[in-house]
Amino acid sequence: MKRLFLDIIKKYFPVVFVKYRYFKVFGKKLNLKNPTGFNEKILWLTLFWQDQRIVQCADKYGLRQYVIGCLGSDNIMPRLYGVYEKVDDVRWEQFPKKFVIKCTHGCKYNILCENKEKLDINKAKNALATWMNTEYGPSTYEPQYYAMKHRIISEEYIETDSGLYPEDYKLYCFNGKVKAILVCLNRENVLNKNEELILEWYDLKWKVLDIGAKPNKQLAMKPTCLEKMVEYAEKLSKPFPFVRVDFYDRHEPILGEMTFTPMYGMAKYYSESGNKLLGSWLVLPDHKMKRKYKKED
């Protein structure tokens, strides 16, 4: 009964729902009239400012066309093996030994295959079928996901020269300018040993930024292609008040995704001062746009 009630509130009174969720997560009221913190401003944008390009860029297949429009090609993205509208259309025999297969309309809808000979294809098909029949956005109120067409894509498996998972560099872009870089470390052990992800924050000169909820251990190496990452991120992020542009470092930048609502606007991995610093960089539009996103064809 409670779930049904929340679903109704979410559909017809999204502001009420988001305020409720924020209070449940942080134990304090959400200020939408005069937001100052980064989380508050992300939620303001989610509720009151919509641009159809957000749907395209957050879509893991649609992003390719946006990148081509901005940069002239999608060479900075992983090699694409196939696009499918149904699980039964997937041509597993055409994939190399290592590949990634994912649904395009949400987060964590992916399978990383390190050895196709050991892959349980029936299990993979069942997972894909479940994701294809699941709406991602409603549970967190991220309306850009509601408008996405459900598709499956298969891409190149990205790894280092040593065969390990590459470091993940997340560039926080504000009105087309990179202000901070979040580095996600220890990904190999997170996936294989259930260890904790290490998060570190840096500026463009690779000096530590005091943004994270935990102390920065300064383990992250400055990527050799940082200048190119910043160049690409600033071109891609130019139309938006905020977007996080994610890259892997494989001697050249490999674009992972563009994210407009990190942790659906309720991230707890910022310190209080870090949340305020990020919020100070995010200048909100001077008007609201309440029109709904159009569903992708």
Side-chain angles (χ1 to χ4, degrees), residues 246-261:
D246 298 357
F247 291 98
Y248 302 114
D249 178 19
R250 198 178 59 181
H251 309 301
E252 293 289 331
I254 302 294
L255 177 63
E257 62 183 26
M258 293 175 67
T259 299
F260 295 85
T261 48

Side-chain angles (χ1 to χ4, degrees), residues 208-269:
V208 172
L209 286 172
D210 185 17
I211 291 177
K214 295 183 178 181
N216 192 324
K217 298 179 180 179
Q218 300 187 48
L219 300 174
M221 299 293 291
K222 179 180 177 180
T224 56
C225 57
L226 179 60
E227 289 186 7
K228 288 187 177 181
M229 287 183 182
V230 172
E231 177 187 349
Y232 294 142
E234 292 190 341
K235 287 181 179 179
L236 296 171
S237 66
K238 189 174 182 180
F240 309 109
F242 168 79
V243 62
R244 195 192 75 205
V245 186
D246 298 357
F247 291 98
Y248 302 114
D249 178 19
R250 198 178 59 181
H251 309 301
E252 293 289 331
I254 302 294
L255 177 63
E257 62 183 26
M258 293 175 67
T259 299
F260 295 85
T261 48
M263 281 299 294
Y264 53 92
M266 299 191 193
K268 302 182 77 172
Y269 45 78

Side-chain angles (χ1 to χ4, degrees), residues 60-61 64 77-85 89-104 109-113 116 119 128 151-158:
K60 291 174 176 53
Y61 178 66
R64 289 180 176 272
M77 301 192 71
R79 185 181 301 113
L80 181 67
Y81 297 135
V83 185
Y84 315 96
E85 296 189 5
D89 293 339
V90 177
R91 302 273 71 87
W92 301 90
E93 70 279 0
Q94 296 178 359
F95 303 152
K97 178 181 178 180
K98 292 186 176 184
F99 64 93
V100 175
I101 191 163
K102 63 181 76 171
C103 292
T104 62
Y109 290 170
N110 53 67
I111 297 168
L112 280 65
C113 177
K116 188 169 67 172
L119 178 67
L128 290 169
R151 285 174 289 214
I152 299 167
I153 60 172
S154 180
E155 294 180 331
E156 175 186 6
Y157 183 102
I158 303 299

Side-chain angles (χ1 to χ4, degrees), residues 18-219:
V18 169
K19 285 184 174 181
Y20 165 79
R21 285 290 300 274
Y22 187 87
F23 187 82
K24 289 282 287 184
V25 171
F26 295 107
K28 59 182 178 181
K29 292 183 179 180
L30 171 62
N31 184 351
L32 291 173
K33 290 185 178 180
N34 183 32
T36 56
F38 182 65
N39 280 322
E40 288 181 324
K41 289 188 175 183
I42 289 296
L43 291 171
W44 188 97
L45 288 171
T46 301
L47 289 164
F48 303 127
W49 195 85
Q50 298 186 356
D51 185 313
Q52 190 64 28
R53 287 172 294 186
I54 291 176
V55 177
Q56 181 184 25
C57 292
D59 181 309
K60 291 174 176 53
Y61 178 66
L63 175 59
R64 289 180 176 272
Q65 293 304 312
Y66 179 77
V67 170
I68 291 171
C70 289
L71 305 181
S73 76
D74 62 354
N75 289 340
I76 66 169
M77 301 192 71
R79 185 181 301 113
L80 181 67
Y81 297 135
V83 185
Y84 315 96
E85 296 189 5
K86 297 178 182 179
V87 176
D88 290 340
D89 293 339
V90 177
R91 302 273 71 87
W92 301 90
E93 70 279 0
Q94 296 178 359
F95 303 152
K97 178 181 178 180
K98 292 186 176 184
F99 64 93
V100 175
I101 191 163
K102 63 181 76 171
C103 292
T104 62
H105 63 284
C107 297
K108 299 182 179 179
Y109 290 170
N110 53 67
I111 297 168
L112 280 65
C113 177
E114 296 183 349
N115 186 343
K116 188 169 67 172
E117 294 180 0
K118 296 181 179 180
L119 178 67
D120 186 334
I121 292 181
N122 287 329
K123 184 177 179 180
K125 285 181 176 181
N126 289 337
L128 290 169
T130 298
W131 296 332
M132 285 290 282
N133 288 291
T134 301
E135 292 290 348
Y136 176 80
S139 62
T140 57
Y141 193 73
E142 295 174 278
Q144 66 270 28
Y145 293 107
Y146 305 179
M148 292 179 189
K149 183 176 182 178
H150 293 200
R151 285 174 289 214
I152 299 167
I153 60 172
S154 180
E155 294 180 331
E156 175 186 6
Y157 183 102
I158 303 299
E159 58 186 343
T160 67
D161 293 339
S162 302
L164 301 176
Y165 295 117
E167 311 296 13
D168 193 359
Y169 297 88
K170 301 178 181 296
L171 280 60
Y172 278 58
C173 304
F174 301 84
N175 298 105
K177 295 295 180 182
V178 178
K179 294 287 190 178
I181 302 167
L182 169 61
V183 188
C184 299
L185 303 162
N186 203 38
R187 295 176 64 238
E188 186 84 21
N189 291 329
V190 170
L191 293 171
N192 295 327
K193 299 180 181 179
N194 294 319
E195 293 186 6
E196 186 173 309
L197 191 65
I198 298 173
L199 306 179
E200 298 191 343
W201 296 85
Y202 297 87
D203 66 12
L204 297 185
K205 295 182 179 179
W206 217 247
K207 294 182 179 179
V208 172
L209 286 172
D210 185 17
I211 291 177
K214 295 183 178 181
N216 192 324
K217 298 179 180 179
Q218 300 187 48
L219 300 174

